[in-house]
Amino acid sequence: MIEVIYILWLRQLKHYWRSKARLLGSLGQPLLFMIAFGFGFGPMYTRASGGGNYMDFLAPGIVSMSILFTAIFSGLEVIWDRQFGFLKETFVAPISRTEIMVGKTLGGATIAMIQGLIVLSLTYVLGFRISSLASLGMGLIFMSLIAIFFTGLGLTIASSMEDMQGFQLIMNFLIMPIFFLSGALFPLENLPPAIYFISRIDPLTYGVDGLRGVLSGMSTFGIYSDLAVIGTLSVLVCIIGAFLFSKVEA
């Protein structure tokens, strides 16, 4: 079982490493958001918060954004493998579909983590600083849970789809509201009740809030509450994904 999961995990990493355009292209949007929002809205945030640094607030949100986009589009590989026949070859092998799901989830989550770490290192150039190694360690836990949840979500949705364009449309419809309503770019305090309610049911909200809490010391719901919510959701989406993946027709 471990060998099967490792091989599937390694296959996705090799695809990622060989696609230099994918690696470089995925850094463009986080850099744009950090520069445009960080320097554009920074002075307004400083005045509104009484001297707070907007980059300290923004950086964890942008790291989460990078992980979100990379992780959730891992589902494209399922559709791609189905169209080119690799999925059928995998299904006829003497391995369980749960092992395939776990291997693909861990592979996609690892790639998303790598992207997140690259973006996190870039935030240092723009002035963001992590207070301690303990904070970094907790931050890695939140980053991994965000990556696992959204990779699992992407694979779960892809398992019931055959059209790549349709998957991209659905993902774009989901991703932008999930990101913008998560509090990645703005504080959740003093929001209109309707927007605040939607933010509370957004899974990324708890990942962003927890990551911001451990890296910057700013948390709305509490670090351990965030950890419990995003951890539970990650387990649930993997269980649901494994069940739906067992029903996939190659």
Side-chain angles (χ1 to χ4, degrees):
M1 177 178 177
I2 295 176
E3 184 178 2
V4 171
I5 293 172
Y6 170 74
I7 290 171
L8 292 171
W9 171 84
L10 185 62
R11 175 177 178 264
Q12 288 190 260
L13 261 66
K14 286 183 175 180
H15 279 181
Y16 171 73
W17 179 250
R18 290 170 181 169
S19 180
K20 299 299 189 295
R22 177 184 175 186
L23 171 61
L24 296 175
S26 59
L27 298 177
Q29 193 174 45
L31 280 174
L32 175 63
F33 271 73
M34 280 193 293
I35 293 172
F37 283 88
F39 294 105
F41 292 161
M44 290 186 289
Y45 178 87
T46 300
R47 289 194 296 270
S49 62
N53 186 348
Y54 186 52
M55 188 57 66
D56 290 341
F57 179 89
L58 179 66
I62 299 301
V63 172
S64 300
M65 180 194 77
S66 178
I67 296 172
L68 163 68
F69 278 71
T70 306
I72 205 162
F73 276 104
S74 296
L76 278 174
E77 290 212 7
V78 174
I79 301 175
W80 188 269
D81 287 347
R82 179 187 285 118
Q83 291 181 349
F84 285 89
F86 180 80
L87 192 63
K88 183 179 293 185
E89 295 177 2
T90 306
F91 283 169
V92 299
I95 57 177
S96 74
R97 296 193 178 186
T98 300
E99 294 172 7
I100 299 172
M101 175 68 179
V102 172
K104 287 184 172 293
T105 300
L106 292 179
T110 302
I111 293 170
M113 278 287 293
I114 293 171
Q115 289 288 140
L117 289 171
I118 293 173
V119 173
L120 181 61
S121 65
L122 292 176
T123 63
Y124 265 60
V125 180
L126 299 176
F128 178 69
R129 295 293 182 269
I130 300 174
S131 58
S132 66
L133 288 177
S135 297
L136 177 60
M138 284 294 295
L140 292 176
I141 293 174
F142 274 101
M143 290 169 65
S144 63
L145 290 174
I146 295 170
I148 290 171
F149 175 80
F150 286 105
T151 302
L153 180 62
L155 292 173
T156 299
I157 296 173
S159 66
S160 60
M161 300 189 67
E162 297 184 3
D163 180 58
M164 192 172 296
Q165 286 73 30
F167 176 82
Q168 289 176 322
L169 287 174
I170 290 176
M171 288 298 96
N172 284 327
F173 178 77
L174 286 175
I175 284 177
M176 300 314 290
I178 286 174
F179 169 61
F180 281 109
L181 294 172
S182 67
L185 304 178
F186 53 82
L188 296 176
E189 296 87 352
N190 302 319
L191 288 176
I195 302 299
Y196 182 75
F197 172 77
I198 296 173
S199 296
R200 288 300 302 264
I201 62 175
D202 182 350
L204 186 61
T205 297
Y206 300 94
V208 171
D209 188 64
L211 186 60
R212 183 177 289 132
V214 297
L215 296 184
S216 303
M218 295 178 280
S219 176
T220 302
F221 309 121
I223 294 172
Y224 294 107
S225 296
D226 294 325
L227 185 62
V229 172
I230 193 67
T232 302
L233 290 175
S234 298
V235 173
L236 286 176
V237 79
C238 289
I239 293 173
I240 295 170
F243 173 75
L244 293 178
F245 203 76
S246 67
K247 308 295 183 182
V248 172
E249 295 292 336

